[in-house]
Amino acid sequence: MASLRRKLPPLTALTAFEAAARLASFTNAAHELGITQAAISRQIHALEEILGSPLFRRLHRRVELTESGKLLASSTSNAFNQIADTVAEIAKGSSGDEVTISATVAFTQFWLLPRISRFSRLHPQIKLRIVSQDMAVNIDSGDADLTIRFGSGVWPDGVAEFLFDDEIFPICSPEFAREVGKVETPEELIRYPLITYDVTDPTWTGWNEWLAAFSVEAPQRPRGMHCSFYTEAIHVALSGEGIALGWKRLVEDLLAQNRLVRLTNASISTRNAYFVVVPRRRRKKAGVEQFIQWLKDVSKEADG
């Protein structure tokens, strides 16, 4: 069997091709690699000769990949990215024992941080870095090793594994519950201050959608306070200012501590769920595998 080196075209030609394909320009590829445009053209021409197939269509002032070029571009991009990731990991002087986790502010504050010390006690050698932001990171870009998302489980930038679904119901402080007395039906809720918040995620449920599930029309101008974020809405509810929507997975600790209480038995189940998402093209670190397994174990405990 021929050696791998004999099967592969020259690395210099593949490097020139990968840059030209990614940048869609021989000129820009030459600038990036610090060589002349003529050198790029020669390398790509030599590669086309070896393969016996054109890789680019030379158009007026631009180039365009052929079907063969697209196939090779995909392979070289994946291979070069994997090499770059491995080199970066080795250069850090560790075996990849730092794990960067991305999650929304609400999930981080109410679910992840109260439990994270349990993981650290089990795996003291793994350093955790938590990126807390509501804008979703592109997991394939290398900004995080994994992200925890709420949604359908289908995202173009990563592979998702199911963690748990959720349930939504009205909550308030014990003091507020005593003030309003018994509330039996969703229709009764609109008499009281409903705490609202800005919703940018279309998969997130607000008061309008929750009440509509019980054929109740939400008031045009709810009496309660309006917040920018869900975390703020929960803190307003804790202070006794009104009724918020409680996502069970996020507020279960506050309910267990009796800092918040359910106001009615009415609830809805979410159509979507929480998933842990990892990059498609990057090799998982050992620490990432251990963190994902821990997430699954903790999720099963909650379901049990």
Side-chain angles (χ1 to χ4, degrees), residues 16 59 82 95-96 130 132 143 150 189 194 222 229 253 268 274 277:
L59 306 174
Q82 188 171 349
S95 58
I130 299 174
S132 181
D143 293 337
F150 181 82
L189 293 169
L194 302 181
F229 304 101
D253 289 346
I268 64 173
Y274 292 93
V277 187

Side-chain angles (χ1 to χ4, degrees), residues 2-3 92 131 201 210 228 235 238 240 295:
S3 69
K92 280 195 279 188
V131 178
D201 184 346
W210 193 90
S228 296
H235 286 293
L238 285 166
L295 282 174

